[in-house]
Amino acid sequence: MHYGPVPTFRPHRWDFRVMGATETLGTYRWTWDEFAELPRADTVRDFHCVMRFSVPDVPWYGVRPQDLVDIAPPAPEVTHVMAWGEYGYSANLRLDDFLAEGTMLAMGRDHRPLDPEHGFPLRLVVPHLYGWKSVKWLRAVEYMTADRRGFWEERGYHNRADPWQEQRFASGA
């Protein structure tokens, strides 16, 4: 599921950025070819949808957030990140959730590149949280020194999104 149209991937215009409260206060940027050269990893994790279903044992491959922050380190006071997708879509995460084992800047699933409807060329996968935190068509990560609500959180979804706590909506419903 997603909100809005599926974007068209244009590799010659695509870039990925790490910005905000970086250690250097600068912005890091990769073209598609440069991003594709970053260290790759694999993980197999469950995927939890807010619509009350889970998909077990999904194999993903891509770049681990830990490898990304090793290259583009956050300032010491960073506590949260905002993941930015196409069309201004965003999802906020605690830094610990972004760096959790199994979290992935995924380029592929089931041993092949992502389908456009599932986030090609890049999506964030945060398997221990509900799927709206797993931003499709990922374009940037912003380091933040305080929490700020993302797209769905501003529209009433729970700020944390823990499926084991049934954290779907801000009201607790």
Side-chain angles (χ1 to χ4, degrees):
M1 293 179 18
H2 57 270
Y3 181 84
V6 174
T8 300
F9 175 57
R10 295 177 177 90
H12 61 283
R13 293 177 53 193
W14 188 93
D15 68 354
F16 180 79
R17 297 172 192 263
V18 174
M19 58 193 183
T22 65
E23 188 175 70
T24 64
L25 300 179
T27 298
Y28 297 80
R29 179 186 172 276
W30 293 265
T31 65
W32 175 247
D33 290 338
E34 292 166 340
F35 193 88
E37 293 298 319
L38 293 177
R40 290 222 188 148
D42 297 290
T43 191
V44 176
R45 300 292 173 173
D46 296 348
F47 188 84
H48 305 285
C49 182
V50 72
M51 303 304 291
R52 298 182 189 250
F53 70 87
S54 294
V55 180
D57 302 325
V58 180
W60 302 95
Y61 70 84
V63 176
R64 293 180 328 124
Q66 184 60 57
D67 291 333
L68 189 70
V69 302
D70 288 347
I71 298 166
E77 61 272 16
V78 168
T79 59
H80 290 78
V81 301
M82 186 71 75
W84 290 98
E86 293 282 359
Y87 308 127
Y89 178 82
S90 61
N92 60 321
L93 299 162
R94 298 180 314 180
L95 183 60
D96 290 346
D97 289 322
F98 181 66
L99 296 176
E101 185 175 335
T103 300
M104 181 77 59
L105 283 75
M107 301 167 78
R109 185 183 110 188
D110 296 323
H111 311 290
R112 62 182 181 270
L114 295 169
D115 296 327
E117 296 80 21
H118 292 118
F120 179 80
L122 186 67
R123 81 174 293 165
L124 179 63
V125 175
V126 188
H128 64 283
L129 300 179
Y130 277 123
W132 81 81
K133 297 290 191 176
S134 294
V135 174
K136 294 179 183 178
W137 312 297
L138 187 66
R139 296 299 301 274
V141 170
E142 177 187 0
Y143 296 149
M144 303 186 303
T145 59
D147 195 13
R148 190 171 76 235
R149 295 187 184 277
F151 180 88
W152 285 114
E153 295 79 17
E154 289 180 346
R155 289 156 178 81
Y157 278 60
H158 198 281
N159 199 43
R160 177 80 205 297
D162 185 334
W164 306 112
Q165 299 294 316
E166 298 284 334
Q167 294 175 334
R168 288 180 175 84
F169 304 104
S171 65

